[in-house]
């Protein structure tokens, strides 16, 4: 095998590596890919590690610490021109809290709540990402159907133009009739180009949301076939949404964490008790006779103490800390109420949207079928010379508008229904 063949194989392998295939992806596939590749989601998950570390540190505050110290110094009297005396010392000391007024217990509880909040924030980021993917996915398929409709409209216009051109050459059609047919082809061509451009942009937006490389083969399957269904009762939907709401769980944990912060602030009013001990020794040397071992032995010492720290005057620092913590707790409670109200509004709006778009979908389906039959009849009449081009164009416009309304109603329903299912845990 020569060098050129080896280089070709290597280049093909590299292309295959960087041009992965993401074809025929379902909506669920897209959501899973987005979750695995999202940088913002990965960043949110890092907060879970820091929260877990903070919890560990809060628990370790109950344990004794151990510190070592080493020092070397020089002393002398420059006024008397005395000789410098060099001193060296070393030691270890330890302390352990005995009573802190509940500060450590409250800190541990607060850290546990914040660890749960970090986990739920990652779940909330996943849900937000899922919403973005659903919206982009539905937009792609809405424009895909619009493109198909635009192609059909252009094909019909071209077919009518070809027929009308023959009739014009035969003297059966006027210049204005032929110009109208040309204008319809131009209009449908422009509409197709605009729709294709919008579809390309939507595909790009979805691909970028999934963090899929530009040179990858990327295509998506249509959403699952669904028939418009009557929306459940609002109270049932709200109950499901409340049970499944991540924001409500986060807010309840913030309230609990704020209560623990009040306990931490109140602990500053109480005495604290700690146990401490130390071991140390040292020596100093002069030029003549240092006797280091003897100095270390004679200088060795230990100490143990039980200390009580009693706050007497702090100029309102403890009271201010308690007030700040209590205000933060009230704000957390207000935020929880606001989240509940927002959830009620979102579910109500989505339920209304789903029901409205369901009715529009059903009505537009009938209108589109009726418009299709009318257009087919008009085309036949035009081909038989019983209908002029102006009337045909008018009928074609009516049918195109009915297609647009049907497409909008259908994908608005599918989008609203998917978002409602996501909110209520049924997605």
């Amino acid at each position: 095998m020569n060098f050129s063949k080896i280089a070709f194989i290597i280049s093909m392998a590299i292309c295959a590596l960087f041009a992965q295939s993401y074809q025929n992806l379902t909506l669920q596939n897209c959501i899973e890919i987005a979750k695995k590749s999202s940088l913002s989601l990965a960043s949110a998950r890092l907060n879970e590690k820091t929260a877990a570390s903070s919890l560990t540190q809060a628990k370790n505050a109950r344990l004794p610490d151990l510190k070592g110290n080493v020092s070397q110094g020089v002393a002398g009297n420059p006024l008397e021109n005395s000789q410098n005396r060099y001193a060296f010392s070393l030691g270890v000391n330890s302390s352990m809290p005995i009573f802190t007024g509940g500060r450590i217990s409250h800190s541990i509880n607060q850290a546990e709540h914040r660890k749960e909040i970090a986990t739920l924030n990652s779940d909330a980021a996943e849900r937000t990402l899922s919403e973005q993917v659903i919206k982009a996915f539905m937009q792609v398929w809405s424009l895909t159907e619009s493109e198909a409709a635009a192609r059909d409209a252009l094909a019909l216009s071209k077919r009518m133009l070809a027929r009308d051109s023959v009739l014009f050459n035969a003297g059966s059609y006027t210049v204005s009739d032929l110009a109208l047919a040309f204008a319809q082809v131009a209009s449908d061509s422009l509409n197709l180009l605009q729709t294709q451009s919008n579809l390309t942009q939507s595909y790009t937006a979805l691909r970028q949301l999934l963090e899929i490389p530009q040179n990858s083969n990327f295509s998506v399957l249509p959403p699952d076939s669904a028939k418009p269904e009557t929306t459940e009762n609002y109270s049932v939907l709200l109950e499901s949404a409340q049970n499944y709401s991540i924001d409500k769980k986060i807010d309840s944990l913030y309230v609990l964490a704020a209560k623990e912060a009040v306990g931490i602030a109140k602990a500053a009013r109480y005495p604290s008790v700690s146990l401490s001990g130390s071991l140390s020794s040292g020596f100093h040397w002069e030029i003549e006779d240092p006797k280091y071992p003897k100095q270390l032995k004679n200088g060795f010492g230990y100490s143990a103490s039980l200390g009580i720290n009693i706050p007497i005057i702090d100029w309102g620092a403890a009271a201010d800390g308690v007030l700040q913590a209590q205000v933060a707790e009230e704000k957390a409670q207000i935020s929880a109420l606001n989240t509940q109200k927002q959830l009620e509004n979102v579910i109500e709006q989505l339920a209304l949207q789903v029901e409205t778009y369901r009715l529009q979908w059903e009505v537009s389906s009938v209108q589109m079928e009726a418009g299709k039959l009318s257009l087919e009849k008009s085309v036949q009449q035009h081909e038989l010379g019983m209908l002029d081009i102006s009337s045909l164009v008018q009928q074609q416009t009516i049918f195109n508008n009915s297609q647009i309304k049907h497409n909008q109603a259908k994908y608005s329903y599918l989008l609203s229904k998917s978002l409602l299912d996501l909110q209520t845990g049924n997605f």
Side-chain angles (χ1 to χ4, degrees):
M1 184 179 293
N2 57 33
F3 178 77
S4 60
K5 290 184 178 180
I6 296 177
F8 176 76
I9 293 174
I10 294 175
S11 63
M12 291 298 293
I14 294 175
C15 291
L17 178 64
F18 288 97
Q20 300 181 27
S21 178
Y22 297 89
Q23 293 183 327
N24 300 326
L25 300 179
T26 64
L27 176 57
Q28 288 292 349
N29 294 148
C30 291
I31 292 176
E32 292 302 319
I33 291 174
K35 289 180 180 180
K36 292 179 181 179
S37 58
S38 173
L39 298 179
S40 59
L41 190 55
S43 177
R45 291 195 179 104
L46 290 176
N47 294 330
E48 297 181 35
K49 295 183 179 181
T50 58
S53 177
S54 297
L55 176 58
T56 301
Q57 292 303 311
K59 292 179 178 179
N60 290 343
R62 288 174 169 171
L63 304 177
D65 62 2
L66 181 64
K67 299 177 182 179
N69 58 79
V70 179
S71 65
Q72 179 175 328
V74 59
N77 190 339
L79 299 179
E80 297 180 358
N81 196 24
S82 62
Q83 190 175 22
N84 292 336
R85 296 168 57 88
Y86 297 92
F88 177 81
S89 65
L90 54 89
V92 293
N93 59 78
S94 175
S95 63
M96 181 178 68
I98 303 298
F99 176 77
T100 61
R103 177 179 57 82
I104 295 179
S105 298
H106 288 302
S107 297
I108 292 174
N109 293 337
Q110 187 182 54
E112 288 177 343
H113 296 324
R114 295 194 177 279
K115 182 176 180 295
E116 295 179 38
I117 289 172
T119 302
L120 289 174
N121 278 331
S122 297
D123 296 339
E126 282 190 4
R127 185 173 296 183
T128 300
L129 182 62
S130 298
E131 290 182 6
Q132 295 173 342
V133 173
I134 290 172
K135 292 177 180 179
F137 186 90
M138 293 302 178
Q139 180 69 11
V140 164
W141 276 103
S142 175
L143 290 170
T144 299
E145 289 200 8
S146 296
E147 183 197 28
R151 285 182 182 277
D152 292 341
L154 179 59
L156 177 60
S157 298
K158 287 183 176 180
R159 182 159 62 91
M160 292 298 98
L161 176 61
R163 177 192 174 279
D164 294 346
S165 297
V166 174
L167 294 176
F168 174 77
N169 293 331
S172 300
Y173 259 44
T174 64
V175 175
S176 60
D177 291 333
L178 188 61
L180 188 59
F182 268 112
Q184 185 63 30
V185 170
S187 176
D188 290 340
S189 299
L190 179 59
N191 182 49
L192 178 59
L193 289 174
Q194 291 176 339
T195 305
Q196 289 175 333
S197 176
N198 293 336
L199 178 58
T200 301
Q201 293 178 12
S202 296
Y203 257 114
T204 302
L206 179 59
R207 179 182 56 78
Q208 291 176 347
L209 189 60
L210 304 186
E211 302 289 348
I212 294 177
Q214 183 180 9
N215 58 344
S216 301
N217 296 322
F218 175 55
S219 65
V220 293
L221 291 174
D224 296 336
S225 58
K227 295 182 179 179
E229 301 176 352
T230 305
T231 311
E232 287 186 290
N233 183 271
Y234 168 72
S235 59
V236 176
L237 293 172
L238 180 59
E239 182 179 0
S240 299
Q242 288 174 338
N243 295 332
Y244 194 65
S245 173
I246 297 176
D247 291 336
K248 281 182 64 63
K249 295 176 182 178
I250 291 176
D251 280 344
S252 64
L253 289 171
Y254 270 124
V255 171
L256 293 176
K259 289 182 178 179
E260 298 297 340
V262 174
I264 295 173
K266 289 182 177 179
R269 295 173 171 175
Y270 305 114
S272 61
V273 181
S274 61
L275 179 64
S276 61
S278 66
L279 298 173
S280 63
S281 184
F283 59 84
H284 62 273
W285 66 86
E286 300 176 358
I287 296 177
E288 295 180 355
D289 187 13
K291 299 179 181 179
Y292 301 148
K294 184 176 181 180
Q295 289 189 54
L296 284 172
K297 179 179 179 181
N298 294 337
F300 180 78
Y302 66 89
S303 68
S305 62
L306 183 67
I308 301 177
N309 183 15
I310 303 174
I312 298 177
I313 299 176
D314 63 357
W315 306 108
D320 178 70
V322 172
L323 177 62
Q324 297 285 351
Q326 289 174 338
V327 170
E329 180 185 358
E330 291 181 8
K331 287 183 178 180
Q333 292 173 343
I334 293 174
S335 177
L337 293 174
N338 185 49
T339 298
Q340 171 65 23
K341 188 61 179 177
Q342 288 180 346
L343 180 63
E344 293 174 359
N345 294 340
V346 168
I347 298 303
E348 183 178 9
Q349 291 173 359
L350 285 176
L352 290 174
Q353 289 175 4
V354 169
E355 187 63 17
T356 299
Y357 293 135
R358 180 187 71 84
L359 296 174
Q360 290 181 1
W361 188 2
E362 293 177 346
V363 172
S364 64
S365 297
V366 176
Q367 291 177 339
M368 186 178 69
E369 289 299 322
K372 182 179 180 181
L373 294 175
S374 297
L375 178 60
E376 291 175 352
K377 182 179 179 180
S378 298
V379 170
Q380 293 174 357
Q381 292 176 339
H382 179 69
E383 290 177 342
L384 295 174
M386 300 171 59
L387 189 69
D388 59 24
I389 185 63
S390 177
S391 300
L392 177 60
V393 169
Q394 183 179 4
Q395 191 61 48
Q396 187 177 0
T397 302
I398 294 174
F399 174 67
N400 291 343
N401 291 336
S402 68
Q403 280 187 309
I404 293 173
K405 291 180 180 179
H406 175 265
N407 185 37
Q408 290 176 342
K410 175 183 177 181
Y411 283 98
S412 295
Y413 171 83
L414 293 176
L415 174 60
S416 301
K417 186 67 167 59
S418 297
L419 295 179
L420 182 60
D421 289 342
L422 188 65
Q423 290 285 344
T424 56
N426 296 319
F427 185 78

